[in-house]
Amino acid sequence: MNSSSPARTTWRRFTSHRLALPGLLVFSVVTLACVMAPWLLQLDPNAIDLGAALQAPSTAHWLGTDQTGHDMLARTLVAGRISLLVGVCSVLLAIVVGALLGGLAGYFGGWIDNLIMRCVDVVMTFPTIIVLMTLAAVIGSGTGKTIVIIGLLSWPLVGRLVRARILTLREMEFVAAARLFGAGHWYLMRRHLLPNTGDVVLVFSSLGFVTAIMAEAGLSFLGLGVQMPDASWGSLISIARESAVLQQYPWIWLPSGCLIVLTALSVSFMGEGLRLAFDPKSDRK
């Protein structure tokens, strides 16, 4: 009996990337801190104390306070919830749309494939940041709208990846056997084809998550993303547009900037680890 199970093999390949496991640990710590710390620390991120405005980091306020006396530790951690939520939800939306359209294009081919791929080409041709700003200005800002905008601009890549995998899978023997037993198109898609694209979708999710985090930060920095009273890492950084805040009060914006970089790097390293985990050729390297 082979003691090396598929799960162990996948984990071994994942950890063969030296920074994948540290990336997973860092991302887990950041996520848990954003979710749990405000409750554990008993800090109100929206509490206003004008008497404590613009205080430097101290034992009373570990990351200082902003212009209205908000505790920046609580504010930054709660802002992380919004940024992570935008990243996760926009990636899920992109995966749903991209996997569905990419699956249809790869399986049916013909005019359906041509139509969907031309839509992919059109969406990928537009400058992303310009389209993001335009859509945000037209339909408005807010957490939900930011998720929809980023998700609907991110699906073409996962659509291409799923289509390429479906083109290969539909010619395999197990698909031909299923057809002989009377399996219909939607049964094949649901039970055999789309589930076998999980590895490419999972690898895309790391790239898509980083892209979504950075896109949200850019929109919020420009005032077109998450709006008050909600806060995200990008909206906290946007305060640094004022030169006085940028130069004299770095504790207001610097922690959010560091967490964006740290989260993006950790997820990128995880993505590299996932790519190796699902690549059988990595065993021969």
Side-chain angles (χ1 to χ4, degrees):
M1 180 178 177
N2 188 2
S3 61
S4 181
S5 66
R8 290 182 179 179
T9 301
T10 301
W11 178 253
R12 175 175 54 78
R13 291 173 182 167
F14 177 79
T15 55
S16 65
H17 190 286
R18 293 182 298 176
L19 296 176
L21 187 57
L24 175 61
L25 294 175
V26 169
F27 180 73
S28 299
V29 169
V30 171
T31 302
L32 287 174
C34 292
V35 173
M36 301 299 298
W39 293 332
L40 296 177
L41 297 175
Q42 296 297 307
L43 296 173
D44 184 359
N46 296 318
I48 296 176
D49 184 2
L50 296 178
L54 297 176
Q55 288 189 359
S58 63
T59 54
H61 302 282
W62 292 2
L63 292 182
T65 61
D66 63 7
Q67 298 96 321
T68 55
H70 290 130
D71 184 275
M72 289 310 300
L73 175 59
R75 194 78 170 155
T76 301
L77 293 176
V78 171
R81 295 182 188 178
I82 301 295
S83 293
L84 295 174
L85 178 67
V86 170
V88 171
C89 292
S90 59
V91 165
L92 290 177
L93 178 59
I95 289 174
V96 170
V97 176
L100 177 60
L101 295 180
L104 292 175
Y107 182 78
F108 290 105
W111 69 268
I112 296 178
D113 185 21
N114 290 329
L115 177 62
I116 294 176
M117 286 301 100
R118 296 299 76 76
C119 292
V120 168
D121 293 338
V122 169
V123 174
M124 297 186 72
T125 300
F126 292 136
T128 303
I129 188 61
I130 302 299
V131 177
L132 285 172
M133 293 172 58
T134 302
L135 290 176
V138 171
I139 70 174
S141 55
T143 304
K145 294 177 180 178
T146 300
I147 290 172
V148 172
I149 292 171
I150 296 175
L152 293 182
L153 286 178
S154 303
W155 70 266
L157 178 56
V158 67
R160 281 185 177 274
L161 293 173
V162 170
R163 172 183 176 271
R165 176 59 62 85
I166 295 293
L167 286 173
T168 302
L169 291 173
R170 72 179 186 178
E171 305 299 330
M172 291 188 171
E173 294 181 355
F174 74 94
V175 175
R179 287 198 183 102
L180 289 176
F181 281 99
H185 296 314
W186 299 114
Y187 181 85
L188 285 172
M189 288 282 289
R190 186 178 72 254
R191 294 296 299 273
H192 295 292
L193 297 178
L194 288 178
N196 281 291
T197 64
D199 55 343
V200 296
V201 169
L202 190 59
V203 172
F204 158 81
S205 64
S206 62
L207 174 63
F209 182 85
V210 173
T211 302
I213 289 285
M214 301 303 293
E216 182 279 322
L219 283 177
S220 296
F221 183 82
L222 296 172
L224 298 172
V226 178
Q227 299 294 311
M228 297 293 288
D230 294 331
S232 67
W233 287 334
S235 64
L236 292 181
I237 294 177
S238 68
I239 302 174
R241 287 182 296 181
E242 302 177 14
S243 59
V245 174
L246 179 65
Q247 298 175 11
Q248 301 176 30
Y249 311 110
W251 60 82
I252 295 179
W253 56 269
L254 189 58
S256 296
C258 291
L259 284 173
I260 289 176
V261 173
L262 195 62
T263 302
L265 286 175
S266 64
V267 174
S268 296
F269 294 147
M270 289 166 55
E272 285 296 312
L274 289 173
R275 183 184 62 81
L276 292 176
F278 294 108
D279 183 10
K281 298 179 181 179
S282 63
D283 290 332
R284 299 196 293 268
K285 295 181 180 179

